[in-house]
């Protein structure tokens, strides 16, 4: 039967009790991790968010009624225990931070009984994630998840305080906004007052933070929930949290400076690690050429080589054909892997096929200096030698090549580079390699839509020296955009914004908007710009991702209290769910039966 606290007050969390408290009486409250009966003694490990404390029930201290009650408690019962702090009488438990202490109970209240949970509440749970997410309120009791959320809370608090010290104002922007055609798919919210009209949940506070700059707030910060109705990939969630900022009267270097300071502060405070600044910077072009990725993982080498010039006149038609068609041949040198069995090479070929590449050409430089290769018979010994030389190939190396359209060859080899590093365990997991990727293309051509789309968003400033090409050769225009990359993941991105109406108009033109369409969609921003707008720039982090990488975790769901699963549903609440006919009626909505 559940008892009340009856005036008891918790004095400590479990692990807040220290050796200095020996001899003192404390009151702890928490959940039963486990109970052991050893004849005249009952031991209970009590758990709260700080950790565990061993409680000893001895009939001599607690009396027969209390002792009997202690014998009935089971895992996940909620207890209040009053007792004396003592040095452990039995063996010290080195694994527990309170392993040298125990509490000799003098009072016990069972605040809540508990059914047997569907899975054990323990660190590094082996229980299937589906079951854990269904009972997330239990899963959230696990110490590792609790630690993750506590770190996330600290990151938020530290960031808020740091940004306030740097003169940033925390200002909220609306959740109910207007749907805009650019970017990902919006989550829509039907309006009851205007049947047939919809709000959109924000994909980011982008336009509002730019308006705040127009209104003179000059440094804005917000930890903002954002929504994107995309098909979920492994590390995405339909709702996620951005640490968002915007600054007036600044250029790229100013944004980078403040953000390096913020990241240094967070890594120092939370992990005790001194990050070296300035972080490396690399242009998008260089990142693509050297790593086949706009978010290169710099914890290992294995860079890509462009061997197109070396093989363009060779006898291997797969190479020459790709180059003649305007593509390229990109290779990676997998050091010391010349002996990789054929089966493994085949599985790499399967891997690249998943990216759309037709095949993977290989050349192994054997220990005796001879070559074993899928294409040796098509090339002369001289051609092979110069290819090996261009790849810095040495005895024992395995050289892998992709020949195709440039973008496909690059991206596939970039992905293969990371896959090989994982399989060969080349990644130093203790490293944090930060990188700014700069000078992104302003636009990218979408075959699907038959037009250019903004690579970042339509408000990103082109680089001044590329402005003359914006109408004649939009594809070559670079943007004043930057991403902050950590260990091969983009953790944030931003740009200097267009603050001149004429450039903004040109940008809309490039994106295929008529003047009227641009006015209709963005009139409030364009109008605001007419009344005095400062040059401004900003950046947003994916907070969940920052915390995930900081803690070396693989899943974003481990840093979100109530995450969604792959199909964007919530296993615990069963959202989304149908609503009552009356609700639909009020909204003027009729659901099509499919
Ligand atoms: N709003 C942008 C985004 O969500 C970030 C920025 O440009 O500040 O990616």
């Amino acid at each position: 039967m559940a008892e009340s606290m009856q005036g008891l007050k918790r004095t400590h969390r479990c692990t807040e009790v220290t050796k200095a408290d020996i001899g003192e009486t404390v009151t702890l409250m928490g959940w039963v991790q486990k109970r052991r009966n050893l004849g005249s003694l009952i031991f209970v490990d009590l758990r709260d968010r700080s950790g565990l404390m061993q409680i000893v029930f001895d009939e001599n201290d607690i009396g027969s009624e209390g002792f009997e009650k202690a014998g009935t408690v089971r895992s996940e019962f909620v207890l209040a225990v009053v007792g004396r702090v003592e040095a452990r009488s039995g063996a010290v438990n080195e694994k527990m931070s309170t392993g040298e202490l125990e509490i000799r109970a003098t009072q016990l209240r069972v605040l809540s009984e508990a059914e047997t949970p569907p899975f054990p509440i323990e660190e590094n749970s082996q229980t299937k994630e589906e079951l854990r997410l269904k009972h997330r309120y239990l899963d959230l009791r696990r110490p590792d998840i609790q630690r993750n959320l506590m770190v996330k809370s600290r990151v938020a608090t530290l960031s808020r305080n740091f940004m306030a010290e740097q003169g940033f104002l925390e200002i909220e922007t609306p959740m109910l906004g207007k749907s805009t055609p650019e970017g990902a798919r919006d989550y829509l919210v039907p309006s009851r007052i205007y049947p047939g009209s919809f709000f959109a949940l924000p994909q980011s506070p982008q336009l509002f933070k730019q308006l705040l700059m127009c209104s003179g707030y000059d440094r804005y910060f917000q930890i903002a929930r954002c929504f994107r109705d995309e098909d979920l990939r492994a590390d995405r969630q339909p709702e996620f949290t951005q640490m968002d900022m915007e600054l007036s009267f600044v250029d790229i270097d100013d944004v980078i400076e403040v953000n390096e300071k913020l990241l240094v502060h967070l890594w120092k405070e939370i992990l005790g690690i001194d990050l070296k600044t300035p972080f490396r910077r690399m242009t998008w072009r260089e990142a693509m050429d050297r790593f086949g990725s706009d978010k290169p993982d710099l914890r290992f080498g294995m860079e890509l080589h462009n061997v197109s010039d070396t093989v363009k006149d060779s006898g291997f038609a797969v190479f020459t054909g790709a180059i003649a068609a305007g593509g390229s041949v990109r290779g990676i040198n997998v050091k010391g892997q010349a002996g990789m069995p054929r089966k493994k090479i085949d599985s790499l070929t399967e891997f690249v096929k998943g990216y759309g590449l037709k095949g993977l050409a290989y050349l192994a430089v054997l220990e005796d200096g001879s070559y074993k290769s899928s294409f040796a018979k098509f090339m002369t010994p001289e051609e092979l030698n110069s290819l090996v030389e261009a790849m810095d190939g040495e005895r024992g190396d395995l050289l892998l090549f992709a020949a195709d359209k440039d973008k496909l060859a690059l991206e596939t080899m970039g992905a293969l580079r990371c896959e090989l590093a994982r399989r060969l365990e080349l990644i130093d997991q203790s490293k944090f390699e930060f990188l700014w990727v700069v000078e992104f293309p302003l636009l990218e051509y979408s075959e699907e839509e038959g037009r250019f789309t903004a690579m970042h968003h339509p408000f990103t400033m082109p680089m001044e020296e590329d402005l003359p090409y914006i109408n004649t050769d939009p594809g070559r225009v670079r943007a004043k955009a930057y991403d902050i990359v950590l260990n091969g993941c983009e953790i944030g991105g931003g740009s200097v914004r267009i603050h001149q109406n004429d450039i903004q108009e040109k940008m809309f033109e490039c994106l295929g908007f008529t003047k009227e369409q641009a006015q209709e969609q963005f009139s409030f921003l364009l109008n605001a710009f007419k009344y005095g707008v400062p040059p401004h720039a900003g950046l947003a982090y994916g907070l969940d991702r920052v915390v995930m990488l900081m803690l070396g975790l693989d899943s974003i769901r481990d840093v979100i209290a109530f995450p969604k699963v792959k199909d964007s549903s919530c296993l615990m609440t069963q959202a989304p769910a149908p609503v009552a006919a009356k609700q639909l009626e009020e909204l003027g909505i009729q659901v099509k039966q499919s």
Side-chain angles (χ1 to χ4, degrees), residues 161-204:
N161 292 343
F162 178 86
M163 295 306 271
E165 272 164 29
Q166 300 287 319
F168 286 77
L169 301 170
E170 199 168 340
I171 302 175
E172 288 177 308
T173 52
M175 284 282 133
L176 298 176
K178 188 174 165 187
S179 179
T180 56
E182 290 296 293
R185 206 177 288 118
D186 284 324
Y187 274 99
L188 298 177
V189 180
S191 157
R192 181 179 54 82
I193 315 267
Y194 297 98
S197 287
F198 295 82
F199 294 107
L201 299 181
Q203 297 191 21
S204 84

Side-chain angles (χ1 to χ4, degrees), residues 364-377:
V365 187
L366 303 180
E367 289 303 338
D368 64 4
S370 66
Y371 303 146
K372 193 173 116 204
S373 167
S374 57
F375 54 86
K377 60 174 180 272

Side-chain angles (χ1 to χ4, degrees), residues 336-515:
Q337 290 295 321
M340 186 181 284
R342 190 54 209 262
K343 251 200 168 147
K344 284 203 172 156
I345 298 182
D346 287 346
S347 87
L348 297 177
T349 306
E350 284 311 307
F351 177 84
V352 298
K353 281 186 177 163
Y355 282 76
L357 212 66
K358 282 183 223 65
L360 192 63
Y362 75 87
L363 187 155
V365 187
L366 303 180
E367 289 303 338
D368 64 4
S370 66
Y371 303 146
K372 193 173 116 204
S373 167
S374 57
F375 54 86
K377 60 174 180 272
F378 302 110
M379 283 197 185
T380 65
E382 293 73 37
E383 285 170 350
L384 289 169
N385 287 343
S386 51
L387 178 59
V388 171
E389 200 179 313
M391 291 292 296
D392 299 327
E394 293 172 320
R395 290 172 189 222
D397 291 350
L398 174 67
L399 315 178
L400 301 172
F401 302 95
D404 214 303
K405 287 197 185 104
D406 201 35
K407 188 165 181 268
L408 182 64
L410 276 175
E411 288 179 357
T412 309
M413 290 312 258
L416 181 65
R417 170 181 173 267
C418 294
E419 178 66 17
L420 276 162
R422 262 192 299 276
R423 291 192 192 182
L424 301 171
E425 294 179 10
L426 302 180
I427 303 174
D428 178 348
Q429 302 289 350
S430 69
K431 268 192 182 171
F432 291 103
E433 287 287 351
F434 286 88
L435 170 73
W436 290 102
V437 177
V438 295
E439 297 182 18
F440 277 79
L442 182 70
L443 303 155
E444 62 187 336
Y445 193 75
S446 160
E447 302 281 349
E448 209 180 306
E449 298 187 41
R451 64 168 182 116
F452 279 101
T453 56
M455 190 132 171
H456 190 51
H457 50 57
F459 316 103
T460 296
M461 181 70 184
M463 285 176 69
E464 272 89 1
E465 56 266 51
D466 290 353
L467 269 174
Y469 309 109
I470 191 153
N471 292 116
T472 52
D473 189 2
R476 75 175 273 185
V477 179
R478 290 163 301 163
K480 287 182 123 179
Y482 33 79
D483 272 358
I484 175 76
V485 173
L486 169 58
N487 294 350
C489 288
E490 178 214 325
I491 57 168
S495 59
V496 175
R497 323 301 183 187
I498 300 170
H499 76 281
Q500 305 90 326
N501 253 333
D502 54 333
I503 301 178
Q504 188 65 66
E505 274 170 21
K506 275 193 187 146
M507 181 70 177
F508 281 135
E509 232 172 83
C510 282
L511 296 172
F513 282 74
T514 61
K515 268 208 166 94

